[in-house]
């Protein structure tokens, strides 16, 4: 299952590339928007990167279930002996591998572009590594809920973004703590706790949502 | 429905009497705060609104749970009927809080934990309403919306304990405490009247909305069975948005 989704994503590489291109282009808009003052940019670098990571994960969520729902593959998967929660978990994992991991690689580049101090890099990367799987998992709930709805993309944004806020807050405070010379462990542990809670609960909720879409 | 009809007169009476007493006591018969002056009276709207915003979400989550487990049709109606009321109360809480914050904290809005989690609650209500109306088939959105409501329950303990977990501008809980309330009795009494009055108001609106929802679904069934041949999609809920959509389709294609 995981292999199939990864292969699909790889062969239709444009989706992944589009999400990443959005990430980079949107990041480069900020220096143009607020002016190229290095101090200002350094102050908001972590926030900008995190917000853009949220948005690019969110934009690629429709890939998660929508195409399989449209061509009926999702219904066949639901009929297969594999439990639905595992399917959702595999799909979220492949979504994370194709969206979250490339973001991890790109984030330091953006951080340099935005003039972020070097102490912030480690918490940013670790935070993204712990936080983006959570984003994919929570996003799976949102993507599953809107299956068959009108204007599904806008609706996903409305549903998912409020639920993303905690991850965003702890991700940014970890970087801020590092820049202020404070310990970053508590923030990262809190993010890990959110991930640990989302890992069993989100696939369960998403699986229930997918089942309701087959009426 | 019989229970609901029986509750309605009590709810209306309770709302009028309790809110009346609460407003009188709150505005004319309670002391002004020694630091805050008369602005403390905003509390008599702010606190009940906040409490109802959170409580109604709890009601929605509870009935969503019973909808998903027992498929009880009334649970679905209660959740649908409550959501806009909860949205309005949450909004009212944020607005009064903001009006209160301007003279007290010197700012309309701060991004502290209580305010932010209340704002998230507002977004959750909006998402809930949008999701339950997002499907063409009436009733199709109920279950996804119920799942969303249950996911959003995570936010409720965050709202409750946000003032204890984070060091914020918003004051910590002062009514429900282990060592008794820290508010003066003269202020607490009108507050309780207002809480009771607002709850009765919610019950009143809930019953009225339940009646209209039931009437609407009866109407829908009647129209579906009566007008199947001519226009199977005609139901009174969609009729409002129908002309607009037709126009959009004309423009689009």
């Amino acid at each position: 299952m995981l292999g199939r989704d990864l292969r699909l994503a790889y062969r239709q590489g444009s989706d992944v590339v589009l999400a990443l291109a959005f990430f980079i282009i949107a990041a480069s808009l900020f220096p143009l928007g607020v002016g190229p003052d290095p101090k200002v940019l350094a102050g908001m670098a972590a926030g900008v990167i995190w917000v853009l990571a949220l948005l690019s994960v969110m934009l690629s969520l429709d890939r998660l279930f929508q195409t399989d729902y449209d061509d009926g593959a999702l219904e066949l998967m639901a009929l297969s002996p594999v439990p639905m929660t595992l399917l959702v978990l595999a799909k979220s994992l492949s979504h994370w591998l194709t969206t979250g991991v490339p973001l991890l690689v790109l984030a330091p580049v953006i951080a340099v572009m935005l003039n972020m101090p070097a102490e912030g890099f480690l918490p940013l990367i670790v935070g993204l590594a712990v936080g983006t799987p959570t984003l994919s998992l929570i996003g799976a709930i949102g993507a599953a809920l809107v299956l068959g709805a009108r204007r599904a993309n806008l609706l996903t944004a409305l549903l998912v973004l409020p639920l993303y806020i905690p991850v965003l807050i702890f991700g940014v405070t970890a970087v801020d703590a590092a820049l202020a010379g404070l310990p970053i462990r508590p923030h990262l542990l809190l993010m890990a706790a959110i991930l640990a809670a989302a890992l069993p609960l989100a696939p369960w909720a998403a699986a229930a949502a997918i089942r309701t879409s087959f009426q | 429905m019989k229970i609901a009809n029986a509750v309605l007169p009590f709810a209306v009476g309770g709302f009028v009497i309790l809110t009346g007493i609460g407003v009188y006591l709150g505005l004319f018969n309670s002391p002004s705060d020694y630091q805050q002056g008369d602005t403390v009276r905003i509390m008599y709207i702010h606190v009940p609104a906040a409490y109802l915003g959170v409580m109604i979400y709890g009601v929605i989550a509870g009935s969503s749970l019973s909808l998903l487990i027992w498929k009880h049709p009334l649970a679905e109606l209660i959740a649908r009927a409550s959501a806009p009321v909860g949205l309005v109360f949450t909004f009212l809480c944020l607005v009064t809080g903001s009006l209160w914050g301007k003279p007290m904290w010197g700012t309309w809005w701060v991004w502290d934990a209580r305010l932010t989690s209340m704002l998230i609650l507002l977004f959750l209500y909006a998402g809930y309403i949008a999701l339950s109306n997002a499907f063409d088939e009436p009733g199709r959105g109920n279950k996804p919306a119920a799942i969303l409501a249950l996911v959003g329950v995570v936010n409720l303990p965050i709202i409750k304990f946000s003032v204890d977990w984070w060091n914020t501008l918003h004051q910590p809980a002062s009514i429900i405490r282990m060592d008794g309330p820290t508010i003066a009795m003269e202020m607490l009494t009108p507050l309780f009247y207002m809480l009771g009055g607002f709850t009765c108001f919610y019950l009143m609106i809930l019953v009225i909305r339940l009646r209209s929802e039931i009437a609407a679904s009866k109407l829908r069934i009647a129209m579906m069975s009566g007008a199947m041949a001519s226009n199977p999609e005609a139901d009174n809920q969609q009729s409002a948005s129908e002309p607009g959509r037709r126009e959009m389709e004309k423009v689009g294609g």
Side-chain angles (χ1 to χ4, degrees):
Chain A
M1 182 66 220
L2 176 65
R4 170 186 169 277
D5 266 22
L6 284 178
R7 269 199 306 281
L8 271 178
Y10 177 68
R11 284 184 194 152
Q12 316 165 338
S14 60
D15 285 358
V16 180
V17 175
L18 273 180
L20 296 178
F22 165 79
F23 185 60
I24 298 172
I25 292 174
S28 62
L29 290 181
F30 278 88
L32 305 174
V34 299
D37 180 7
K39 262 193 210 141
V40 176
L41 286 180
M44 49 187 265
V48 168
I49 292 173
W50 262 103
V51 168
L52 292 177
L54 291 192
L55 291 179
S56 33
V57 167
M58 192 200 78
L59 282 178
S60 57
L61 280 176
D62 59 333
R63 205 178 66 220
L64 206 52
F65 301 118
Q66 192 65 49
T67 47
D68 282 342
Y69 178 78
D70 288 342
D71 65 11
L74 201 59
E75 237 162 311
L76 287 179
M77 291 172 204
L79 290 174
S80 77
V82 187
M84 200 66 184
T85 40
L86 269 187
L87 284 171
V88 175
L89 201 59
K91 275 186 156 297
S92 320
L93 184 61
S94 80
H95 178 260
W96 177 65
L97 287 175
T98 51
T99 321
V101 174
L103 284 182
L104 277 181
V105 179
L106 277 177
V109 183
I110 307 282
V112 172
M113 271 169 66
L114 293 178
N115 201 31
M116 195 163 103
E119 306 87 65
F121 277 65
L122 182 70
L124 178 71
I125 303 297
V126 179
L128 280 171
V130 183
T132 44
T134 318
L135 300 183
S136 290
L137 284 167
I138 297 176
I141 304 179
L145 284 174
V146 300
L147 285 177
R150 281 178 269 126
R151 289 183 294 276
N153 274 343
L154 272 177
L155 199 57
T156 325
L158 186 63
L159 302 185
V160 162
L161 285 182
L163 298 173
Y164 278 177
I165 293 176
V167 181
L168 171 69
I169 291 175
F170 292 121
V172 175
T173 47
V175 179
D176 287 346
L179 294 186
L182 298 169
I184 56 171
R185 229 173 97 83
H187 307 287
L188 296 176
L189 283 180
L190 273 170
M191 290 180 81
I194 299 177
L195 175 62
L199 208 51
L201 293 179
W204 185 55
I210 291 175
R211 274 192 221 103
T212 66
S213 72
F214 299 141
Q215 288 176 351
Chain B
M1 208 56 227
K2 269 180 193 160
I3 304 171
N5 282 335
V7 166
L8 185 62
F10 291 103
V12 175
F15 161 61
V16 173
I17 295 169
L18 290 176
T19 314
I21 297 176
V23 167
Y24 169 72
L25 287 180
L27 285 185
F28 304 110
N29 212 357
S30 71
S32 46
D33 190 81
Y34 78 102
Q35 275 181 331
Q36 304 192 357
D38 277 337
T39 51
V40 75
R41 298 182 204 283
I42 296 176
M43 177 180 75
Y44 303 123
I45 302 290
H46 177 71
V47 174
Y51 145 77
L52 268 186
V54 174
M55 201 228 10
I56 293 176
Y57 197 88
V59 169
I60 292 177
S63 39
S64 296
L65 195 66
S66 64
L67 167 67
L68 289 177
I69 296 176
W70 297 289
K71 305 196 167 47
H72 197 292
L74 191 62
E76 167 187 325
L77 288 179
I78 290 178
R80 273 170 60 102
S82 301
V85 190
L87 177 87
V88 170
F89 275 120
T90 311
F91 184 68
L92 190 65
C93 164
L94 287 173
V95 169
T96 52
S98 163
L99 290 176
W100 197 4
K102 184 61 187 166
M104 287 307 109
W105 301 338
T107 169
W108 297 107
W109 184 260
V110 283
W111 289 99
D112 83 359
R114 175 59 69 85
L115 277 69
T116 311
S117 53
M118 230 26 214
L119 189 67
I120 296 178
L121 185 69
L122 186 74
F123 292 154
L124 283 173
Y125 272 121
Y128 178 88
I129 295 169
L131 186 61
S132 63
N133 293 324
F135 297 90
D136 288 328
E137 235 175 289
R140 162 73 175 78
N142 289 329
K143 279 186 184 171
I147 295 172
L148 177 74
L150 289 178
V151 172
V153 170
V154 191
N155 193 27
L156 292 190
I158 298 181
I159 295 179
K160 174 74 184 77
F161 296 109
S162 56
V163 280
D164 302 327
W165 291 344
W166 287 281
N167 196 6
T168 65
L169 265 181
H170 198 286
Q171 57 155 358
S174 46
I175 300 175
I176 302 167
R177 287 168 65 112
M178 300 297 277
D179 49 352
T182 53
I183 300 186
M185 216 46 215
E186 300 83 60
M187 287 189 186
L188 204 54
T189 320
L191 186 57
F192 274 132
Y193 278 116
M194 290 302 274
L195 284 172
F198 269 54
T199 312
C200 287
F201 177 75
Y202 163 57
L203 285 177
M204 180 178 95
I205 296 284
L206 179 64
V207 171
I208 294 172
R209 286 184 59 89
L210 276 179
R211 276 180 180 173
S212 75
E213 288 274 351
I214 290 172
S217 60
K218 275 183 187 161
L219 202 63
R220 191 155 54 223
I221 293 166
M223 283 176 90
M224 292 272 262
S225 53
M228 207 62 172
S230 57
N231 186 2
E233 270 189 359
D235 64 82
N236 66 322
Q237 277 211 324
Q238 280 190 345
S239 58
S241 62
E242 207 61 33
R245 273 188 26 218
R246 288 221 180 98
E247 267 178 32
M248 289 201 16
E249 277 163 15
K250 250 185 254 167
V251 173

